[in-house]
Amino acid sequence: MKKYDVFVIGSGMSGMTVANKCASKGLKVGITDELPYGGTCALRGCDPKKVIIGATEVRDFAQRLKGNGIDTVPEVNWEDIMAFKQSFVDAMPPKIEKGYKNKDIDTYHTSAKFLSDNTLQVGDEVIEADKFLIATGAKPRVLDFEGGNLALSSTDFLNLEELPSSLLFIGGGYIAFEFAHIAARAGADVTILHRGEFPLENFDRDILQHLVDATRKLGIKLVLKTDVSKIEKKEGHYVVTGKSDGKESAYKTASVFNSAGRPPAIFDLDLEKAGISFSKKGITVNEYLQSTSNSNIYAAGDSADSKGLPLTPVAVMEGHVVASNLIKGNKKKVNYPPMPSVVFTLPTLASVGLTEAEAKSQQIEYQVNYNNAESWFNAKRLNVQEYAYKTIIDKENQTILGAHLIGPNAEETINLFAMAIKTKIKINELRTMIFTYPTLSSDIPHML
């Protein structure tokens, strides 16, 4: 039996942060992951996705400026995109493992299951540790209807050697919209089936409608209020059956992808044997990110049922909190700043802080500034049709409660709103700031 001060399950951003910080303080650390080291973001999510989006951004920009200085719109070369993406992915696991070895962190490459409150089965090894971090991330939701196993995952999409002629996405969240926009701009026929009345349900409805309209203008078939009940494989293609208002419809496609959400990847760890309380949202933790039922256990990132959004920067922040508490004892409470969230479609959808519905439910005295900005100079120079904003302002304090954007570089502009919310800067101070012009951030004073 091997013994450690800290043993980490999962080598994504939160696990990596905890392992490296604890080892740097002299603790004996081990880490395991049944998948290549690096986690979802670096290998199967944000990073490779953003690399692929780069090519579609060029095509989109060229299309918007065709006839305004651009004569030819480039085609997307899928094989070249995937090779470029893979150059980033392949470099990550060995780099991470080398860093672990330089810090004398023992590395394992297998799944783990708890045997007791302080022991773990890791492959053929039994591990004992004073403290454990569960940072196993999330994985695709199981589709428990007939033929659900025929659907491919988001990881499969990011590893497609060739882009299918048609794709159907089950679920209307981040993955579906981002990948649908990529595939449509690369020339595929795309369908999204979503069970709810609205896709991307956590975003402001008014701003979201602009993305819905833009998605349909792109040629993507967005079908709402439809439950998928069956997937069948027939003569080299798939037939997906969807039910809406009691009526069945069949959708023929070359490929089907499961984008119906990603629950925490904790349910194969035998948590009951370690007395670890959990829910469908993750490990039940306190303000120190420590298990409420087993003081030996901490959880971070998508594995934890915390107030943090399932975002990579949040996982990193939670990793720092856990590492501090493992090294110094429970002294550092998790304190979440405003957490900006982005859907990397074209146009980009971005949000931070309260939505209008949330402000209303909290009975805050607020005012709303909501408008299209399609006539503004930045929209015209970029020849974009989708540019809109909604800002929620605290009437009493004259500070920003929330900001919701759609349009060019919204993923960057939203960070300035996040900073303004965190620092509680008065809107009059923002209005009188000097921004470089013409930039997208120079539009901020006009959104207040």
Side-chain angles (χ1 to χ4, degrees), residues 1 41 47 89 151 163 180 186 188 217 246 266 274 320-321 326 354 369 398:
M1 182 184 294
C41 183
D47 290 358
V89 173
L163 184 67
K217 285 180 185 176
I266 61 171
H320 283 290
V321 170
L326 288 170
L354 299 182
N369 295 325
Q398 288 296 289

Side-chain angles (χ1 to χ4, degrees), residues 321-340:
V321 170
V322 170
S324 177
N325 291 330
L326 288 170
I327 294 165
K328 303 176 183 178
N330 283 356
K331 295 180 180 179
K332 190 168 186 178
K333 298 178 181 180
V334 64
N335 182 24
Y336 297 99
M339 295 174 279

Side-chain angles (χ1 to χ4, degrees), residues 394-406:
D394 187 315
K395 275 188 175 182
E396 181 181 353
N397 298 320
Q398 288 296 289
T399 54
I400 300 171
L401 296 170
H404 312 278
L405 310 174
I406 187 165

Side-chain angles (χ1 to χ4, degrees), residues 286-338:
N286 59 23
E287 56 198 348
Y288 302 105
L289 296 175
Q290 181 184 44
S291 166
T292 57
S293 59
N294 181 341
S295 60
N296 299 328
I297 307 297
Y298 290 77
D302 295 348
S303 301
D305 182 4
S306 69
K307 294 180 181 178
L309 295 179
L311 303 170
T312 298
V314 176
V316 173
M317 186 199 77
E318 291 184 344
H320 283 290
V321 170
V322 170
S324 177
N325 291 330
L326 288 170
I327 294 165
K328 303 176 183 178
N330 283 356
K331 295 180 180 179
K332 190 168 186 178
K333 298 178 181 180
V334 64
N335 182 24
Y336 297 99

Side-chain angles (χ1 to χ4, degrees), residues 51-347:
V51 172
I52 295 171
I53 286 172
T56 64
E57 287 174 330
V58 172
R59 177 173 171 78
D60 176 64
F61 205 163
Q63 282 181 316
R64 285 187 275 113
L65 294 186
K66 187 178 181 182
N68 293 295
I70 296 296
D71 294 326
T72 304
V73 177
E75 295 296 320
V76 173
N77 186 313
W78 191 261
E79 185 177 344
D80 285 353
I81 289 178
M82 299 309 281
F84 186 44
K85 177 269 301 182
Q86 203 61 33
S87 68
F88 291 87
V89 173
D90 289 343
M92 187 60 67
K95 178 182 177 181
I96 292 171
E97 187 147 11
K98 182 179 179 180
Y100 288 152
K101 292 193 181 300
N102 288 341
K103 289 187 170 68
D104 293 323
I105 297 170
D106 287 350
T107 56
Y108 299 81
H109 296 272
T110 184
S111 60
K113 292 182 183 295
F114 281 96
L115 299 174
S116 70
D117 62 347
N118 68 340
T119 59
L120 195 69
Q121 186 77 47
V122 180
D124 296 330
E125 297 272 1
V126 175
I127 302 296
E128 180 181 330
D130 292 334
K131 303 292 181 184
F132 293 89
L133 169 69
I134 299 174
T136 44
K139 62 182 181 180
R141 187 181 307 282
V142 174
L143 300 178
D144 56 357
F145 49 74
E146 182 181 345
N149 60 305
L150 297 174
L152 299 173
S153 68
S154 57
T155 301
D156 295 321
F157 178 90
L158 291 170
N159 289 314
L160 288 171
E161 293 182 3
E162 296 181 2
L163 184 67
S165 58
S166 56
L167 304 87
L168 184 146
F169 294 91
I170 299 172
Y174 291 78
I175 292 171
F177 270 76
E178 291 174 343
F179 289 0
H181 274 240
I182 289 171
R185 286 190 169 84
D189 182 59
V190 183
T191 301
I192 298 173
L193 300 182
H194 181 61
R195 68 190 306 176
E197 184 178 358
F198 301 96
L200 294 162
E201 292 158 352
N202 292 327
F203 284 82
D204 180 88
R205 295 283 165 80
D206 290 328
I207 297 297
L208 174 63
Q209 188 59 49
H210 291 272
L211 179 58
V212 168
D213 294 342
T215 298
R216 287 176 168 151
K217 285 180 185 176
L218 186 58
I220 295 169
K221 301 177 195 66
L222 175 58
V223 184
L224 304 175
K225 295 188 288 186
T226 299
D227 277 302
V228 174
S229 58
K230 183 167 56 176
I231 304 173
E232 300 172 278
K233 190 172 185 179
K234 294 183 177 180
E235 301 175 354
H237 64 268
Y238 296 91
V239 176
V240 178
T241 300
K243 290 184 178 181
S244 180
D245 294 328
K247 297 179 181 179
E248 287 191 347
S249 298
Y251 301 86
K252 181 179 176 180
T253 184
S255 55
V256 185
F257 291 87
N258 174 7
S259 51
R262 292 173 60 85
I266 61 171
F267 305 109
D268 296 327
L269 296 175
D270 287 350
L271 299 173
E272 297 88 349
K273 293 183 180 179
I276 301 170
S277 297
F278 63 95
S279 70
K280 63 181 181 180
K281 296 181 180 180
I283 307 295
T284 308
V285 293
N286 59 23
E287 56 198 348
Y288 302 105
L289 296 175
Q290 181 184 44
S291 166
T292 57
S293 59
N294 181 341
S295 60
N296 299 328
I297 307 297
Y298 290 77
D302 295 348
S303 301
D305 182 4
S306 69
K307 294 180 181 178
L309 295 179
L311 303 170
T312 298
V314 176
V316 173
M317 186 199 77
E318 291 184 344
H320 283 290
V321 170
V322 170
S324 177
N325 291 330
L326 288 170
I327 294 165
K328 303 176 183 178
N330 283 356
K331 295 180 180 179
K332 190 168 186 178
K333 298 178 181 180
V334 64
N335 182 24
Y336 297 99
M339 295 174 279
S341 184
V342 174
V343 184
F344 285 101
T345 45
L346 295 173

Side-chain angles (χ1 to χ4, degrees), residues 423-443:
T423 58
K424 293 182 170 56
I425 188 171
K426 302 288 186 181
I427 60 172
N428 280 340
E429 293 183 59
L430 279 171
R431 286 175 178 149
T432 57
M433 283 183 64
I434 300 296
F435 292 89
T436 55
Y437 177 87
T439 60
L440 273 300
S441 57
S442 68
D443 287 343

Side-chain angles (χ1 to χ4, degrees), residues 8-17 31 33 37-41 100 135 315:
V8 177
I9 311 169
S11 186
M13 296 308 296
S14 54
M16 194 187 317
T17 300
I31 190 167
D33 201 318
Y37 286 170
T40 298
C41 183
Y100 288 152

